[in-house]
Amino acid sequence: MKNFHLHLVSDATGETVTSVARACLVQFEGVQPIQHNWWLVRTQGQVERVIAGIEDNPGLVFFTLVDGAVRGLLEEACRHRNIPCISLLDPVMAGLSAFLNVEVSALPGRQYQLDAEYFRRIDAMQFTLAHDDGQLIELVDQADVVLVGVSRSSKTPTSMYIANRGIKCANYPLVPGVPLPPELERAKKPLIVGLTKDPKSLSDIRRARLRLLNQEEEADYAQFEKVKEEVQQARRIFSRLGWPVVDVTRRSIEEASATIIQLYERHLEKRGLKAETTPS
């Protein structure tokens, strides 16, 4: 395993630079970065502290700094020390500026300003928390998306990820022997999506869950044949009601959410509406 120091420098929360670095690094086998995070870097004094940290642990520098004076100090210091220093935003902003024929405003943290989009996202997250795991199911028609699935099919984390995109997402657990609430079957406004998972994988996850709770691992909840029957019954419900199905077996939360958001956008198009989502 090859280790190296990686400095991530941002004038905001570091979300963008971290996501890009992670997306790139997973393509390289046998490397392990020692990550140094430098967030909210907006003044000369803050840049000088970053430079001192880079001197102590020389390595690759990724940055998302839009203020010319601040980034200039970092770039000059790295150039003087022969340290690679890469701006992740420059190609995108230059392309946008050329295409739109508009100058870049260069305001740090502008993507986090308290605008209507921000409050829509907060409202969606509050809604999702209040409608988690079948709560307030009588208000299901207030949701944009409803996720339905058996236990441990990633309903809650997927709902929260979708809510962070400004979409009100409720979820409902399918329990063997418990009929669907009539409100869910009658719902017209939301997109209802069935989540499914490979029974073997689901059985293993449930066993691990029971082990963590110091409970009997051979309970019906985790037995493969019982789980298989439960998943099949869930699929029959999805088919009967015409709900689209997303298999989350080999999908990350992000990938499953992206598929669901695409389904939601098509759902709105059919109704002659336009999705209002926060860019990822």
Side-chain angles (χ1 to χ4, degrees), residues 43-108:
T43 68
Q44 179 176 339
Q46 290 166 337
V47 174
E48 289 172 351
R49 284 194 290 274
V50 174
I51 294 169
I54 295 170
E55 286 179 336
D56 291 339
N57 297 288
L60 186 60
V61 179
F62 287 171
F63 71 87
T64 52
L65 302 173
V66 296
D67 183 277
V70 171
R71 64 176 286 168
L73 290 171
L74 177 64
E75 289 175 316
E76 178 58 31
C78 289
R79 188 162 43 247
H80 181 69
R81 294 162 178 79
N82 199 30
I83 291 174
C85 185
I86 302 169
S87 171
L88 302 183
L89 296 181
D90 277 6
V92 177
M93 290 201 297
L96 282 170
S97 180
F99 179 78
L100 299 171
N101 196 27
V102 175
E103 290 294 323
V104 177
S105 60
L107 296 176

Side-chain angles (χ1 to χ4, degrees), residues 199-216:
K200 177 62 168 65
S201 173
L202 188 57
S203 175
D204 291 343
I205 290 171
R206 289 184 177 184
R207 287 179 188 278
R209 175 68 172 171
L210 291 175
R211 196 159 50 243
L212 187 65
L213 297 174
N214 294 318
Q215 296 183 12
E216 176 56 52

